[in-house]
């Protein structure tokens, strides 16, 4: 079982743990306890080998396509495996007797610690403690420590560990065999180069015995493996301690160096790290974590169990997934697993970017730069499909081309693969990215951003939408046909509410940019897009783009698309709480689901989350009530958004109920939820539900806006935010909003409809 | 521990078993208990998954090169894995309590049976029995059965099993992703195509419940995997029984069919097999095994434990490794593991072919045809290296080109790979193959064989040797310089005794063919090799080729090469009995070993085994005594040959001692000996030590020759032999030789120097 309350004292609500080892369900812990620093992620597979283990090491943005399969983040060599032999008996939690097992991820320090007591099959007792850190202070470094305390008599310990490049992505090998050797007669070195993208991973590791009496050390090689065997002794009641330090670089990091320089840099780093030892590595990393939490920890006063921890869990993973620079962006599973092949979806801009926008705007900008660096490709994508402007890929990797596989898993009976329409028809990503760029602009006022491509991105998106629409002469309006909205259970629809409204919004912002610019913007845009009269064209498009309106019956409901309301309604209650997702597809074909009012997630509610000012509370609530019972929530993006919109509507009970579902997505007890990695967007969603939802923080036009709607279970929420460069700490309780800032600039803050000026503090009762 | 005496009654000396499960040492059992039928081999990894397991499925001759790595036999999809859940608890021998474990390979029936009693962690008791058969009667079929008997109360059983194409060769993936589907709503189908050689493996399997109450069955797919989940119930004391039947075809087998026809053939075969069930499959296969043993079983009367079993173990594997046709030959590990990449070495012609020559001459011919089919390539190989005639590759796979990797494992300190000289300098293979062809000719008198390429093979080998030698004018003789003999611890030597003598022998036979032919042979040879005056050239070469002669001091010792005798002698006793081979290379570099009188195996003794009539007993014994203490026996080819030559010398004690070492190579208790597969040549060696050595059977010129030398531990040896088409059974005891034949032809048999005529029987006292 996962444990949520083992953190004590200073670590109260900082520790996510588990109190038993379950052979079958290792994937869950491997993902949710994953250690990552944005540069690399290492799945928390146990040191000793077990069946059902999925070891994984992923480097952000290091993609490869093996034998023309869909490009993916390859699983790099493993260094974490240790074969531990204690007095001649191989340590395994499946043999002998294990008591006192616990594994704890300390979110405050980023350290994973496992403890247990093992009585071997022959009856000897040992206490074992394993710790592991992937450094937050230096992204190339990580380390492990194994401490063994013999309980009955002095013990002979043998550890075999090394670098194992036999790892695959579910059987797909992405690397050619490389060089392996022992450096300076003590460090293990192995490099591996991807088969197609020609990226090299340089692995180097060393070890030392820092407890007990060191014995002999020897080295060995096997195919795609280099190993050391270390023997040492520990006294009864004493501690035998093996530390393994490792560094990982890629050829991208060493592009400036020639090969020899690069390798010495790697070795030097390792030497330095081994000298520091595990504790030194840990301390530096923990310090960096502490600094992060000091600036970003969202504190929730509540008696309700697990909420504070869930927020920190989400923030931990939001930090773990953010790359060091704009060469890469955030994968749908972060760096925690093979799921979705490490591709970048709208999840990043819509669910994760807001967190960074209010916490580290530079990181939000970095995420947008990843897209802007691929704008040229987006222009080509559009051109190839016969559209104008920019067309961003539904799934993005290195090049910025469309990476969505054309075919999904095969039909089990026919062996025919089902076509995946998302890459072909799910176009809202292009609006989502432009929306995020505009939000960035609003929140930061960073004018260079617009000039350096931001305005082209927004205008390009608008141009795309214009070309993506058709002009329906009979109705004298632009319509968008044959599209897929966020709700992927409804494909090939016309005038999807989400897509039309988002296209419209983005076009309005583009017009704004074109009008308000000193004319240079229009020149730049016309030049870049090789198109004249852009402003006029967009004005015409915005004026005439069809925006579906709320119905009279059912009152206030915004139809998800032209045909949705005429579809059959199905009782889906049985599918809503399954441990396994998408079970409806076992009973109904995709075609059948497509023809019912069955939602994976809601387009309309999503729209109301992003553009809340377009709709009255009443309309929003009508849609919430209409769509929620029809939503299976088979997407991890669903619950948090329902929560935010319920908060917006002043429905804290509903908001809180949805929120509880949202925090359970990865952190709940469902043992299957996270096998292939955590749900990156859901981490952003948790933060959104609390800060955007309960605390009601958002941007309304040019103003920071606060309209809290605290559920009764939450007494107070205290969080950091940056707006227009101004750092502040905001504390929201049921009757009070307190804002504090050390910056002396003045900004307007709109609270519950009324505008205040904030310099150093604001204390508003409501 | 391995057990040798568990066979009882009719199965006495037919069962090799083990009585405990050792997590760390699974490789040994996976290899020695491997089930194979020459077409395919399946390593005997346990059904349920464990770390340290190496599953393997290899199809003879289906090679692939992944990303330009050395070509190898790829590890095909696995169908043997089963996840077994008993009343909600996952079955694993590492959890709960296992008693009464035994695993037995019945050599008589070819069936592998595992039995055990398991008390689950929750305290429930079950008896489990697993059996497995790879069919001997139809090479495409195999099956598994799991029988579960609940001891305490009725049990719910769930088995998840399917086809898993994630298998790799130590991390190297040889297959592209293929199609997977459920056929007829009940059979699992998966195909996989090699990345470079474009060979497709078609896997199809089905299951049925033949004990207990069947429950639901469902199917699932994952990346490179298709699975079924079967639930059933068994009564207390009753038997829940799951049978899995499978067929495997390759695109080579279905080359005549179009794809659809091929697939229906596969499905039809499976349907038929599932109808028969496991027991039907087993019975047909066991019948074919029985027929084999009836014709080929070597029976040894002895009180000495393990000898009869060892012979049958060897014969079992000799049968398991022989391919169905001449498209492929025998790999150094048969079909039992990844070792040596499935390549074909001289092991086949020199160690294994003699067994077939006297047991199934057609199979011996088939092995030679594999070489003859690649003669054109051997001619090109020779030409490319500047030689004449035929040059066979040291390691051969599909094409017949040289496949020996140029570089071996890297130097652990420098990361530089050591050059492998075998492929460049170990040329005796070309003599070995020609020698084997000549032996085939002598044993069968099959004249069409010579006409259809056999004579070219022998003449081509002789031509190669002539071009491979240099004429030393000062000594007026041909010499062969810079060569490696079978003893690979001595590289780059001149006038290696083995190579020079074998070259000479082969040249003599070539001359014989050229002289005795009606002139057509010479014409054919001159045409094929584009060379004139071949006979004269070879006569000159044979007359003047230097053959090293026994020394006066040390008396009678034939120097292994020109410089060997001047090298330093090292006490190697410490290395001779290591569980791990080649440990001398941890203390000395290859260069240092090369400069000492240290042998991996003996060239001179090998020579005396192949050409026994060239040397007197005294000379042979002098060499045995000189070389044996200098031989580490790091090659599995070594001990059996020492045994044969000791028998030849009338030294049964020495012969028996060497023989005991030889039978322990795979069947001994050393848990590391066979991880990467059994030693195919050693299987031939065991038979050679007994039939060629103790019973003294060989061909001397045109006559079958018998000169027994039974060790006192063996009372009698009874074996089958075919010579010149005449089948006979030979029984050798200490004072008597009895030969019986049902054929009415008459042949001369030379026994201890005296010639007898054999028609139906011969009873000779000696």
């Amino acid at each position: 079982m996962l444990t949520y309350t083992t953190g004590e004292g200073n670590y109260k609500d900082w520790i996510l743990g588990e109190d038993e080892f379950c052979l079958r369900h290792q994937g869950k812990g491997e993902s949710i306890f994953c250690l990552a620093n944005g540069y690399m992620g290492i799945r928390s597979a146990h040191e000793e080998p077990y069946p059902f283990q999925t070891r994984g090491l992923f480097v952000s943005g290091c993609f490869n396509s093996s034998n023309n399969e869909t490009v993916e983040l390859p699983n790099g060599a493993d260094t974490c495996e240790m074969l531990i032999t204690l007095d001649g008996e191989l340590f395994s939690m499946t043999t002998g007797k294990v008591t006192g097992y616990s594994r704890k991820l300390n979110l405050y320090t980023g350290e994973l610690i496992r403890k247990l007591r093992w009585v071997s099959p022959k009856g000897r007792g040992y206490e074992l403690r394993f710790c592991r850190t992937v450094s937050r202070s230096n992204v190339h470094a990580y380390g492990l420590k194994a401490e063994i305390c013999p309980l009955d008599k002095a013990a002979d310990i043998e550890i075999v560990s090394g670098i194992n490049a036999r790892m695959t992505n579910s059987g797909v090998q992405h690397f050619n065999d490389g060089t392996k050797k022992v450096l300076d007669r003590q460090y293990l070195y192995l490099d591996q180069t991807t088969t197609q993208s020609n990226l090299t991973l340089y692995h180097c590791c060393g070890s030392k015995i820092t407890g007990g009496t060191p014995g002999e050390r020897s080295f060995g090689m096997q195919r795609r493996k280099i190993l050391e065997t270390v023997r040492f002794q520990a006294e009864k009641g004493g501690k035998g301690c093996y530390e393994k330090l490792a560094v990982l670089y890629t050829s991208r990091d060493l592009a400036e160096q020639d090969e020899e320089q690069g390798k010495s840099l790697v070795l030097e780093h390792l030497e330095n790290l081994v000298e520091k030892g595990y504790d030194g590595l840990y301390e530096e990393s923990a310090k960096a974590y502490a600094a992060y939490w000091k600036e970003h920890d969202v504190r929730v006063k509540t008696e309700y169990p697990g909420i504070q921890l869930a927020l920190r869990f989400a923030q931990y993973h939001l930090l773990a997934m953010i790359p060091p620079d704009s060469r890469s962006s955030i994968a749908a599973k972060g760096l925690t697993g093979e799921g979705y092949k490490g591709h970048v979806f709208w999840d990043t801009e819509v669910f994760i970017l807001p967190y960074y926008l209010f916490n580290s705007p530079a990181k939000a900008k970095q995420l947008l730069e990843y897209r802007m660096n691929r704008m040229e490709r987006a222009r080509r994508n559009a051109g190839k499909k016969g559209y104008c402007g920019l067309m961003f890929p539904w799934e993005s990797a290195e090049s910025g081309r469309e990476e969505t596989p054309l075919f999904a898993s095969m039909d089990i009976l026919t062996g025919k693969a089902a076509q995946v329409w998302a890459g072909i028809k799910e176009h809202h990503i292009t609006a989502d990215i432009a929306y995020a760029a505009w939000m960035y602009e609003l929140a930061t006022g960073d004018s260079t951003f617009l000039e350096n491509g931001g305005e082209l991105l927004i205008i390009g998106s608008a141009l795309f939408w214009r070309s993506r629409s058709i002009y329906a002469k009979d109705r004298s309006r632009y319509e968008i046909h044959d599209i897929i909205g966020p709700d992927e259970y409804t494909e090939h629809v016309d005038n999807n509410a989400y897509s039309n409204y988002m296209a419209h919004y983005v076009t309005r912002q583009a017009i704004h940019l074109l009008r308000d610019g000193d004319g240079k913007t229009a020149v730049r845009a016309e030049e870049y897009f090789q198109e004249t009269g852009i402003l006029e064209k967009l004005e015409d498009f915005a004026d005439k783009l069809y925006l579906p309106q709320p119905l009279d019956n059912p009152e206030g409901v915004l139809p998800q698309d032209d045909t949705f309301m005429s579809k059959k309604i199905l009782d889906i209650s049985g599918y809503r709480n399954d441990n396994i997702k998408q079970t409806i597809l076992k009973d109904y074909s995709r075609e059948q689901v497509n023809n019912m009012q069955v939602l994976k997630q809601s387009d309309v509610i999503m729209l109301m989350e992003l553009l809340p000012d377009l709709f009255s509370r009443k309309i929003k609530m009508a849609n919430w009530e209409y769509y929620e019972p029809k939503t299976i929530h088979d997407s991890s993006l669903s619950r948090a958004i329902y929560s935010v919109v319920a908060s917006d509507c002043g429905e804290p009970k509903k908001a809180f109920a949805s929120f509880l579902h949202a925090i359970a997505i990865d952190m709940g007890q469902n043992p299957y939820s996270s096998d292939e990695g955590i749900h990156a967007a859901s981490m952003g969603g948790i933060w959104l539900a609390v800060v955007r939802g309960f605390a009601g923080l958002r941007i309304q036009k040019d103003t920071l806006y606060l309209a809290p709607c605290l559920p009764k279970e939450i007494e107070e929420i205290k969080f950091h935010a940056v707006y227009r460069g101004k750092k502040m700490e905001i504390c929201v309780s049921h009757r009070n909003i307190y804002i504090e800032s050390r910056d002396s600039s003045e900004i307007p803050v709109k609270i519950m409809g009324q505008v205040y000026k904030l310099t150093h503090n604001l204390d508003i009762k409501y």
Side-chain angles (χ1 to χ4, degrees), chain A:
Chain A
M1 294 284 281
L2 291 179
T3 59
Y4 308 116
T5 55
T6 58
E8 285 174 0
N10 285 341
Y11 291 138
K12 187 171 180 300
D13 292 325
W14 283 104
I15 290 180
L16 177 64
E18 63 177 10
D19 60 6
E20 65 180 350
F21 165 66
C22 176
L23 190 63
R24 274 304 268 285
H25 300 136
Q26 291 174 82
K28 173 91 174 188
E30 287 166 359
S31 295
I32 66 170
F33 297 139
C34 181
L35 303 180
N37 58 23
Y39 173 81
M40 66 171 140
I42 299 179
R43 278 172 73 81
S44 289
H46 290 297
E47 283 74 7
E48 64 282 6
Y50 296 101
F52 310 107
Q53 216 171 28
T54 308
R55 297 180 173 275
L57 177 148
F58 304 99
V59 181
S60 182
C62 281
F63 287 98
N64 186 63
S65 159
S66 167
N67 288 314
N68 296 318
E69 286 189 45
T70 306
V71 71
E72 68 184 325
L73 279 187
N75 191 356
D78 173 75
T79 56
C80 295
E81 186 174 276
M82 296 182 191
L83 302 183
I84 301 169
T85 305
L86 303 175
D87 296 311
E89 291 180 275
L90 184 75
F91 166 64
S92 161
M93 294 190 290
T94 60
T95 64
K97 202 174 147 62
V98 172
T99 52
Y101 173 90
S102 76
R103 186 156 62 147
K104 296 179 181 178
L105 174 62
N106 187 325
L107 302 166
Y108 188 75
T109 61
E111 189 182 36
L112 182 69
I113 298 176
R114 171 166 60 128
K115 282 186 200 169
L116 64 113
R117 194 179 273 239
W118 186 57
V119 179
S120 77
K122 285 189 184 154
R124 292 225 183 130
Y126 306 88
E127 243 169 38
L128 295 101
R129 185 174 180 272
F130 296 89
C131 358
R132 206 184 279 194
T133 292
V134 170
S135 178
R136 166 71 26 210
S137 56
N138 185 315
V139 295
H140 300 286
Y142 61 103
L144 300 95
K145 184 155 85 168
E147 287 172 359
I148 295 149
C149 168
L151 301 176
D152 303 327
K153 57 180 281 299
D156 289 320
I157 303 169
E158 182 198 89
I159 295 186
V160 180
S161 192
I163 311 174
N164 177 4
R166 293 184 182 178
M167 311 312 293
T168 63
N169 291 49
S170 302
V172 175
Q173 179 56 263
H174 282 285
F175 296 94
N176 288 322
D177 202 9
T179 305
K180 42 191 188 289
K181 59 186 164 185
V182 177
L183 302 175
D184 288 357
R185 295 185 178 266
Q186 53 180 325
Y187 304 124
L188 303 181
Y189 168 90
L190 180 147
D191 60 41
Q192 47 175 183
T193 302
T194 53
T195 54
Q196 162 267 331
S197 58
N198 200 30
L199 277 162
T200 304
L201 268 51
Y202 299 95
H203 302 267
C204 196
C205 65
S207 71
K208 59 181 183 182
I209 302 301
T210 54
T213 315
E216 57 174 308
R217 180 202 299 243
S218 61
F219 302 101
M221 284 201 292
Q222 296 167 13
R223 191 171 185 186
R224 288 177 177 256
K225 252 189 192 178
I226 183 162
L227 295 166
E228 68 171 9
T229 300
V230 176
R231 292 196 176 84
F232 55 110
Q233 289 192 313
E235 292 308 304
K236 174 180 170 181
K239 210 160 68 177
C241 181
Y242 172 80
E243 299 186 9
K244 185 169 182 183
L245 290 312
V247 297
L248 169 63
Y249 283 79
T250 74
S251 48
R252 298 196 313 188
D253 310 316
L254 303 174
E256 310 279 299
Q257 279 86 5
D258 70 26
E259 207 183 324
E260 280 319 300
Q261 285 171 326
K263 284 185 184 170
S264 358
L265 188 146
V266 170
L267 178 59
E268 224 168 84
H269 188 174
L270 182 71
E271 283 170 341
N272 188 274
L273 196 63
V274 172
E275 206 187 302
K276 264 181 212 160
Y278 177 84
D279 293 344
L281 165 82
Y282 163 75
E283 277 156 27
E284 287 182 9
S285 172
K287 220 164 130 184
Y289 267 104
Y292 172 75
W293 290 114
K294 192 161 176 255
E295 293 292 311
H296 304 291
D297 184 26
V298 177
R299 275 152 296 156
V300 183
K301 211 181 258 178
T302 174
E303 298 287 301
Y304 204 95
I307 290 183
Q308 176 65 73
L309 186 68
L311 260 164
R312 287 175 175 157
F313 173 71
Q315 284 191 273
Y316 166 85
H317 275 294
L318 285 163
L319 180 62
M321 67 182 73
I322 183 87
D325 55 57
S326 64
R327 284 183 304 186
S328 57
S329 184
I330 294 172
K333 299 285 186 189
L335 298 166
T336 68
E338 291 176 21
Y340 294 111
K341 301 184 182 294
H343 292 180
V344 184
F345 291 71
W346 69 312
D347 306 37
T348 301
E349 283 77 10
V350 172
F351 290 81
I352 299 165
L353 189 136
Y355 172 78
Y356 281 102
L357 199 54
F358 286 112
N359 279 279
S360 311
K363 283 289 173 190
K365 185 179 186 176
Q366 172 191 308
L367 293 173
L368 290 166
E369 282 169 345
Y370 164 82
R371 298 292 189 179
M372 295 204 286
N373 295 341
R374 286 154 185 81
M375 212 151 71
E376 187 46 41
R377 188 75 190 219
R379 192 167 66 161
R380 268 155 60 198
N381 291 348
K384 267 203 276 184
K385 298 284 174 194
Y387 301 127
C388 303
L390 302 172
M391 184 185 179
F392 285 99
W394 175 243
E395 299 188 21
S396 182
E398 171 59 27
S399 68
R401 70 167 180 218
E402 182 58 74
E403 307 285 7
T404 311
L406 279 176
F407 293 96
S409 54
M410 291 170 181
D411 182 289
I412 204 156
L413 296 179
T414 63
K416 294 225 169 67
Q419 182 145 24
V420 175
W421 288 103
I424 302 167
K425 296 287 178 191
E426 196 161 349
H427 292 155
H428 62 83
I429 177 91
T430 291
D432 304 330
I433 293 169
Y435 171 90
W438 185 248
M439 286 295 130
Y440 173 76
E441 172 54 23
L442 289 184
T444 63
D446 175 356
S447 61
T448 59
F449 168 76
L450 284 181
E451 281 163 31
N452 292 331
E455 58 185 19
L456 289 181
L457 193 151
I458 293 165
I459 295 164
S461 168
L463 280 172
F464 165 77
W465 285 108
R466 181 175 175 273
S467 66
R468 178 63 180 80
S469 70
I470 55 154
Y471 188 71
K473 274 194 190 148
D474 50 342
R475 279 157 295 191
S476 308
R477 66 192 194 190
Y478 288 98
E479 298 193 350
I480 301 175
H481 287 189
D482 194 10
I483 200 163
I484 306 173
D487 168 29
E488 293 170 337
Y489 282 174
T490 321
E491 297 181 331
H492 305 297
V493 294
D494 296 345
N495 295 315
N496 169 259
Y498 179 86
S499 304
N500 283 31
Y501 272 93
M502 288 296 286
H504 189 258
Y505 180 82
V506 166
T507 306
R508 283 275 168 235
Q509 307 323 321
I511 291 168
H512 174 78
L513 288 172
L514 288 161
R515 277 197 194 135
D516 286 14
D518 46 10
K520 283 188 195 154
T521 302
V523 173
R524 278 197 292 265
E526 300 201 351
E527 191 179 335
Y528 187 77
F529 294 110
Q530 298 277 305
E531 184 126 14
T532 55
I534 290 183
L535 177 57
E536 296 70 32
K537 285 175 181 165
L538 291 183
E539 279 172 333
D540 171 66
F541 176 58
D543 289 347
K544 297 182 190 154
L545 174 59
Y546 167 55
L547 297 176
Q549 294 303 310
L551 302 174
D552 293 335
N553 181 23
E555 197 188 338
V557 171
L558 193 66
Q560 179 168 301
D561 57 64
D562 284 357
T563 51
F564 186 83
M565 301 307 290
S566 63
K567 290 176 179 174
K568 210 177 80 180
I569 292 174
L570 180 77
D571 175 12
I572 55 158
S573 47
Y575 304 113
R576 282 163 56 104
N577 291 310
D578 270 348
N579 262 354
I580 313 284
K581 291 289 165 199
Q582 309 206 4
T583 48
I584 192 172
L585 296 177
K586 296 202 165 183
D587 298 332
Y588 298 93
S589 71
R590 277 206 162 260
E591 184 64 23
Q592 287 173 312
V593 171
N594 201 23
N595 285 311
M596 295 189 290
Q597 293 194 30
V598 169
L599 308 181
K600 194 174 170 191
Q601 63 189 103
S602 167
D603 289 358
V604 171
I605 301 304
M606 187 76 237
L607 168 64
M608 290 169 173
E609 196 267 341
L610 292 182
L611 300 175
D613 298 327
L614 295 186
F615 307 96
S616 70
R617 183 200 165 278
K618 199 179 151 200
I619 297 286
K620 282 189 264 197
M621 211 50 227
N623 282 282
W624 205 102
E625 299 280 13
Y626 185 81
Y627 284 111
E628 205 285 332
K630 299 177 180 64
T631 307
I632 305 186
H633 305 292
D634 273 349
S635 164
S636 64
L637 314 178
S638 186
R639 295 284 195 178
I641 299 306
Y642 270 104
S643 179
V644 171
V645 174
S647 290
D648 261 9
C649 294
E651 292 282 352
K653 222 170 144 178
K654 287 192 164 64
F656 191 69
S658 290
F659 170 69
L660 290 182
H661 280 293
I663 64 175
I665 288 170
D666 287 297
M667 222 181 74
Q669 298 288 355
N670 174 0
Y672 306 103
S673 70
S674 313
D675 281 353
E676 299 202 318
I678 56 95
H679 301 78
S682 167
M683 302 300 167
I686 291 169
W687 181 87
L688 280 172
V690 171
V691 174
R692 166 77 184 79
F694 302 151
L697 177 80
R698 57 187 175 94
I699 298 160
Q700 197 184 42
K701 289 187 186 133
D702 291 8
T703 317
L704 195 67
Y705 187 95
L706 265 167
C709 173
L710 255 58
K712 70 175 177 12
E713 291 83 356
I714 293 178
E715 229 177 282
E716 181 188 288
I717 304 169
K718 214 169 174 177
F719 57 97
H720 300 261
V722 198
Y723 179 73
R724 301 261 165 170
K726 188 173 180 74
K727 284 188 180 186
M728 59 197 97
E729 196 172 11
I730 300 173
C731 179
V732 170
S733 60
H734 280 268
R735 313 205 146 269
N736 200 64
I737 294 172
Y738 182 75
I739 310 181
E740 205 180 346
S741 174
R742 277 191 246 172
D743 301 348
S744 43
S745 56
E746 190 195 271
I747 56 160
V749 181
K750 199 166 175 186
I751 296 177
M752 315 289 275
Q754 177 151 355
V755 178
Y756 302 85
K757 305 262 177 221
L758 166 69
T759 310
H760 288 300
N761 53 57
L762 263 182
D763 193 348
I764 312 291
K765 312 269 173 250
Y766 68 98

